Amino acid sequence: MLGADLPGFGMSKYYWQGRLNFDAGYFVAKNWAVGSGIGLQYTALKNGGEQYNYLTLQPSVFTRYYLPIPSKRLQFFTHAEAGLNWRRTETPDFQKDLSHFFKVGGGAEYFLSPRFSIEAGAFYDGTFQRLRGNWSLDFTLRYRFGGKKKKE
């Protein structure tokens, strides 16, 4: 499984984000994939009266399990991911930092064709430094390169 999010976006009470992710996964068992990816993300965060903008590079590893339901177009999944955030804050001094992140949740993927799908999910995004985070709703248009196509 080789794919890209074209594009994805997420939102919560405190932020919105747009991202472009490329990932590669391998099915180690029926319905269970593991893999890695690289993402580029832009985030606008409101903290009190201040707004901060971040540009983040995110290498990560993930595991995803597709629930075995008898549907050719709709699949439900659970997802867990961990990785690094290399973030640059758009301030006059262009602050940079490196942190670790995790993402857990689940959702649904609907196949429009054998290669294109729309994904929607609820995820808890957090950092290992503070062991806290935010819930977000993510919506993604996904394209699968190569490999076996999803059967119609």
Side-chain angles (χ1 to χ4, degrees):
M1 150 174 104
L2 184 63
D5 298 348
L6 305 169
F9 68 92
M11 62 188 131
S12 80
K13 182 178 179 182
Y14 304 103
Y15 70 89
W16 72 265
Q17 61 186 220
R19 65 186 170 280
L20 183 60
N21 295 325
F22 293 95
D23 53 43
Y26 179 76
F27 281 93
V28 295
K30 186 174 182 178
N31 298 328
W32 180 31
V34 296
S36 64
I38 186 81
L40 183 63
Q41 176 174 293
Y42 179 82
T43 304
L45 171 71
K46 289 185 180 178
N47 186 8
E50 301 286 323
Q51 179 165 330
Y52 302 94
N53 299 318
Y54 301 101
L55 187 60
T56 308
L57 184 64
Q58 297 178 307
S60 66
V61 293
F62 68 87
T63 184
R64 182 175 276 204
Y65 181 75
Y66 290 93
L67 301 176
I69 61 169
S71 174
K72 293 181 181 179
R73 290 195 175 258
L74 180 65
Q75 292 202 319
F76 294 94
F77 62 85
T78 60
H79 182 96
E81 185 173 355
L84 296 173
N85 281 324
W86 183 80
R87 180 171 56 198
R88 186 185 84 172
T89 307
E90 292 181 1
T91 61
D93 58 354
F94 291 105
Q95 297 173 358
K96 297 177 185 175
D97 66 14
L98 181 66
S99 63
H100 301 83
F101 76 91
F102 65 90
K103 179 178 183 173
V104 293
E109 185 172 9
Y110 181 79
F111 284 85
L112 303 169
S113 75
R115 298 250 188 237
F116 276 101
S117 65
I118 296 174
E119 239 178 57
F123 297 95
Y124 187 78
D125 301 301
T127 64
F128 289 110
Q129 286 78 4
R130 291 183 234 137
L131 289 180
R132 66 176 197 194
N134 294 304
W135 282 98
S136 67
L137 295 174
D138 289 7
F139 304 94
T140 302
L141 176 62
R142 180 174 287 274
Y143 180 78
R144 284 192 165 81
F145 300 97
K148 292 183 179 179
K149 293 192 251 182
K150 174 74 178 156
K151 293 182 180 175
E152 299 253 4

PDB file of all heavy atoms in Angstrom, residues 8-9 31 34 39 57 63 87 99 140:
ATOM      1  N   GLY A   8      -5.010  16.887   3.153  1.00  0.00           N
ATOM      2  CA  GLY A   8      -5.794  16.574   4.339  1.00  0.00           C
ATOM      3  C   GLY A   8      -5.942  17.833   5.162  1.00  0.00           C
ATOM      4  O   GLY A   8      -5.161  18.769   5.026  1.00  0.00           O
ATOM      5  N   PHE A   9      -6.947  17.867   5.998  1.00  0.00           N
ATOM      6  CA  PHE A   9      -7.045  18.986   6.930  1.00  0.00           C
ATOM      7  C   PHE A   9      -7.704  18.506   8.205  1.00  0.00           C
ATOM      8  O   PHE A   9      -8.394  17.499   8.225  1.00  0.00           O
ATOM      9  CB  PHE A   9      -7.791  20.176   6.328  1.00  0.00           C
ATOM     10  CG  PHE A   9      -9.257  19.954   6.091  1.00  0.00           C
ATOM     11  CD1 PHE A   9     -10.196  20.289   7.067  1.00  0.00           C
ATOM     12  CD2 PHE A   9      -9.712  19.425   4.903  1.00  0.00           C
ATOM     13  CE1 PHE A   9     -11.557  20.095   6.844  1.00  0.00           C
ATOM     14  CE2 PHE A   9     -11.064  19.227   4.668  1.00  0.00           C
ATOM     15  CZ  PHE A   9     -11.988  19.557   5.646  1.00  0.00           C
ATOM     16  N   ASN A  31      -6.085  -7.436   6.746  1.00  0.00           N
ATOM     17  CA  ASN A  31      -6.660  -6.214   7.326  1.00  0.00           C
ATOM     18  C   ASN A  31      -5.715  -5.440   8.230  1.00  0.00           C
ATOM     19  O   ASN A  31      -6.107  -4.428   8.793  1.00  0.00           O
ATOM     20  CB  ASN A  31      -7.944  -6.510   8.099  1.00  0.00           C
ATOM     21  CG  ASN A  31      -9.024  -7.079   7.229  1.00  0.00           C
ATOM     22  OD1 ASN A  31      -9.115  -6.749   6.046  1.00  0.00           O
ATOM     23  ND2 ASN A  31      -9.836  -7.954   7.779  1.00  0.00           N
ATOM     24  N   VAL A  34       1.229  -2.086   8.508  1.00  0.00           N
ATOM     25  CA  VAL A  34       2.215  -1.283   9.229  1.00  0.00           C
ATOM     26  C   VAL A  34       3.005  -0.520   8.184  1.00  0.00           C
ATOM     27  O   VAL A  34       3.117  -0.952   7.030  1.00  0.00           O
ATOM     28  CB  VAL A  34       3.158  -2.145  10.104  1.00  0.00           C
ATOM     29  CG1 VAL A  34       2.388  -2.844  11.204  1.00  0.00           C
ATOM     30  CG2 VAL A  34       3.927  -3.143   9.271  1.00  0.00           C
ATOM     31  N   GLY A  39       5.342  13.687   6.391  1.00  0.00           N
ATOM     32  CA  GLY A  39       4.294  14.673   6.226  1.00  0.00           C
ATOM     33  C   GLY A  39       4.832  16.088   6.307  1.00  0.00           C
ATOM     34  O   GLY A  39       5.838  16.355   6.959  1.00  0.00           O
ATOM     35  N   LEU A  57       7.616  19.401   9.656  1.00  0.00           N
ATOM     36  CA  LEU A  57       7.998  18.207   8.912  1.00  0.00           C
ATOM     37  C   LEU A  57       7.831  17.039   9.875  1.00  0.00           C
ATOM     38  O   LEU A  57       8.338  17.083  11.000  1.00  0.00           O
ATOM     39  CB  LEU A  57       9.437  18.319   8.434  1.00  0.00           C
ATOM     40  CG  LEU A  57       9.960  17.179   7.563  1.00  0.00           C
ATOM     41  CD1 LEU A  57       9.183  17.130   6.239  1.00  0.00           C
ATOM     42  CD2 LEU A  57      11.439  17.346   7.305  1.00  0.00           C
ATOM     43  N   THR A  63       0.527   1.983  12.426  1.00  0.00           N
ATOM     44  CA  THR A  63      -0.144   0.709  12.255  1.00  0.00           C
ATOM     45  C   THR A  63      -1.624   1.009  12.072  1.00  0.00           C
ATOM     46  O   THR A  63      -2.155   1.950  12.671  1.00  0.00           O
ATOM     47  CB  THR A  63       0.105  -0.256  13.439  1.00  0.00           C
ATOM     48  OG1 THR A  63      -0.521  -1.510  13.148  1.00  0.00           O
ATOM     49  CG2 THR A  63      -0.418   0.288  14.741  1.00  0.00           C
ATOM     50  N   ARG A  87       9.568  21.442  13.855  1.00  0.00           N
ATOM     51  CA  ARG A  87       8.648  22.562  13.652  1.00  0.00           C
ATOM     52  C   ARG A  87       9.394  23.887  13.648  1.00  0.00           C
ATOM     53  O   ARG A  87      10.257  24.130  14.473  1.00  0.00           O
ATOM     54  CB  ARG A  87       7.605  22.549  14.752  1.00  0.00           C
ATOM     55  CG  ARG A  87       6.610  23.659  14.650  1.00  0.00           C
ATOM     56  CD  ARG A  87       5.486  23.506  15.611  1.00  0.00           C
ATOM     57  NE  ARG A  87       5.960  23.387  16.975  1.00  0.00           N
ATOM     58  CZ  ARG A  87       5.232  22.906  17.965  1.00  0.00           C
ATOM     59  NH1 ARG A  87       4.015  22.492  17.759  1.00  0.00           N
ATOM     60  NH2 ARG A  87       5.720  22.833  19.176  1.00  0.00           N
ATOM     61  N   SER A  99      10.243  17.629  18.567  1.00  0.00           N
ATOM     62  CA  SER A  99       9.484  16.929  19.603  1.00  0.00           C
ATOM     63  C   SER A  99       8.980  15.610  19.038  1.00  0.00           C
ATOM     64  O   SER A  99       9.085  15.346  17.842  1.00  0.00           O
ATOM     65  CB  SER A  99       8.314  17.791  20.090  1.00  0.00           C
ATOM     66  OG  SER A  99       7.400  18.022  19.031  1.00  0.00           O
ATOM     67  N   THR A 140      -9.725  13.531   4.656  1.00  0.00           N
ATOM     68  CA  THR A 140      -8.618  13.324   3.728  1.00  0.00           C
ATOM     69  C   THR A 140      -9.116  12.717   2.425  1.00  0.00           C
ATOM     70  O   THR A 140      -9.950  11.819   2.437  1.00  0.00           O
ATOM     71  CB  THR A 140      -7.587  12.353   4.355  1.00  0.00           C
ATOM     72  OG1 THR A 140      -7.134  12.904   5.582  1.00  0.00           O
ATOM     73  CG2 THR A 140      -6.416  12.118   3.437  1.00  0.00           C
TER      74      THR A 140
END
